[in-house]
Amino acid sequence: MAMAIKGAVLVREYQGPYTNQIIYRQRCDNCGYIAPNPPISVSCLPYGNVMYGCYHRESFICFFCGNRQEVRIQGG
């Protein structure tokens, strides 16, 4: 099961036999603004293997308050 650690709201998670899909929206932790752009999809291998992409990290600038927000999602 995926977990949004910072800067994201999980929309949906698909668990498949070979890969998992995590779909999320960007969220600013400073002001609570959720970006209106389409949800972002991330693929990772199952079983929580960090080396193969089950740990997603990026950043964005909040449109509402100008805060640079880090996004961290951990899959499992």
Side-chain angles (χ1 to χ4, degrees):
M1 176 142 200
M3 182 171 86
I5 297 173
K6 206 173 181 184
V9 174
L10 296 180
V11 176
R12 198 172 291 131
E13 179 181 4
Y14 299 109
Q15 295 184 354
Y18 301 108
T19 183
N20 293 344
Q21 292 279 63
I22 300 167
I23 300 171
Y24 71 94
R25 288 189 180 268
Q26 296 171 334
R27 179 181 53 87
C28 179
D29 289 339
N30 190 35
C31 67
Y33 180 75
I34 297 175
N37 45 344
I40 299 167
S41 176
V42 177
S43 296
C44 66
L45 294 176
Y47 312 118
N49 193 335
V50 174
M51 186 171 68
Y52 291 110
C54 278
Y55 188 79
H56 178 71
R57 190 174 189 162
E58 69 167 306
S59 67
F60 68 96
I61 296 176
C62 177
F63 178 75
F64 193 73
C65 70
N67 179 41
R68 176 172 288 281
Q69 178 65 52
E70 181 182 16
V71 175
R72 286 194 287 170
I73 298 173
Q74 183 173 0

